[in-house]
Amino acid sequence: MTEPEPAVLTPTIIEPRSHELLPAIREDLAPFLPALRSVAQLIAAAAVAEFAARYAAPAMIDQARQMIAPAPQRTQTILVEEHTTVRRRVTVVS
């Protein structure tokens, strides 16, 4: 009995599709391109402002407070010991 030959993968060449729709969309959106660019810039500026408000501003406030606040005074701790001695005379009748 003869064994069947194993299946062989044959390479397939895939041709890229033509992008006929993309130039048409570009032509349709061309009048709106300046507005789209300004909206993209506005979104980018808003992202930078949010980052500054959320992360950079608190760090800058802490730095400013450290610069404005006076330096803490050195404190010195002194240990004071106090001893009280009580003497009494007790007389016992025997």
Side-chain angles (χ1 to χ4, degrees):
M1 192 165 166
T2 60
E3 293 184 20
E5 292 186 23
V8 178
L9 295 177
T10 56
T12 306
I13 299 174
I14 299 174
E15 296 289 329
R17 288 188 193 177
S18 62
H19 300 287
E20 297 146 357
L21 185 62
L22 191 58
I25 292 174
R26 282 186 187 157
E27 289 175 11
D28 288 344
L29 293 180
F32 302 108
L33 198 56
L36 292 174
R37 282 190 183 139
S38 64
V39 168
Q41 289 174 348
L42 182 66
I43 291 172
V48 169
E50 180 190 7
F51 173 79
R54 187 172 295 204
Y55 298 107
M60 289 173 52
I61 289 173
D62 290 340
Q63 290 289 334
R65 284 185 183 152
Q66 288 177 359
M67 291 169 59
I68 294 172
Q73 301 294 324
R74 288 187 60 192
T75 58
Q76 185 177 11
T77 304
I78 301 172
L79 178 62
V80 177
E81 292 184 17
E82 183 178 335
H83 298 283
T84 306
T85 305
V86 178
R87 292 184 181 176
R88 293 188 185 164
R89 284 189 182 198
V90 179
T91 309
V92 180
V93 180
S94 50

